């Protein structure tokens, strides 16, 4: 491949065991609505982005999450500060794994969702 892509990630899929509960969790944690879509072979809840032609998004789908510590970590934009997002993770029934971690692009914290999927809640540097 000679061309470098605009984004290394083009789509994410997060397996969940209870779509309704997972939608509530991710909407609470990110502070953003998900869009339910039942038109395909499987129901899904799609993360919304400002411009679908430019942004990288993904969805939740009914599936079997990886065993604890064996799946990928998906980092998600979250409204407000990373501390706000961490509190929303706890309030929604998830687990916060790390304190905020500083990186050049901003700050994030490792967490787990209701199914034990590894996620990061991310606050961009402003």
């Amino acid at each position: 491949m000679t061309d470098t892509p605009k984004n290394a990630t083009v789509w994410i899929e997060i397996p969940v065991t209870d779509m309704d509960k997972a939608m509530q969790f991710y909407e609470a944690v990110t502070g953003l609505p998900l869009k339910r879509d039942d038109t395909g072979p499987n129901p899904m809840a799609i993360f919304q982005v400002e411009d679908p032609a430019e942004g990288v998004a993904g969805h939740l789908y009914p599936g079997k999450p990886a065993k604890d510590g064996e799946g990928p970590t998906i980092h998600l934009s979250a409204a407000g500060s990373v501390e706000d997002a961490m509190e929303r993770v706890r309030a929604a029934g998830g687990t916060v794994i790390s304190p905020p971690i500083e990186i050049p692009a901003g700050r994030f914290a490792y967490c787990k969702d209701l199914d034990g999927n590894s996620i990061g809640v991310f606050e961009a540097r402003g």
Side-chain angles (χ1 to χ4, degrees):
M1 178 178 204
T2 59
D3 294 328
T4 304
K6 179 177 179 179
N7 297 298
T9 301
V10 296
W11 192 258
I12 61 168
E13 296 180 330
I14 301 174
V16 298
T17 58
D18 185 316
M19 182 68 79
D20 292 331
K21 286 183 182 177
M23 284 182 69
Q24 290 173 353
F25 174 83
Y26 280 98
E27 287 178 340
V29 168
T30 64
L32 302 168
L34 278 77
K35 180 181 176 186
R36 180 86 184 226
D37 183 342
D38 294 316
T39 61
N42 295 306
M44 64 178 92
I46 302 169
F47 292 95
Q48 302 298 292
V49 294
E50 183 178 293
D51 181 353
E54 294 289 324
V56 176
H59 68 261
L60 308 177
Y61 71 97
K64 183 178 178 184
K67 292 180 182 176
D68 190 19
E70 293 184 9
T73 300
I74 305 297
H75 292 262
L76 300 168
S77 292
S81 72
V82 71
E83 288 86 1
D84 292 341
M86 293 165 67
E87 187 51 41
R88 292 192 305 265
V89 166
R90 290 183 189 101
T95 306
V96 174
I97 304 300
S98 76
I101 298 167
E102 297 274 342
I103 59 174
R107 303 165 61 221
F108 74 94
Y110 288 110
C111 304
K112 289 186 185 176
D113 73 4
L114 302 175
D115 287 303
N117 289 308
S118 178
I119 62 170
V121 290
F122 179 75
E123 172 192 356
R125 190 163 313 286

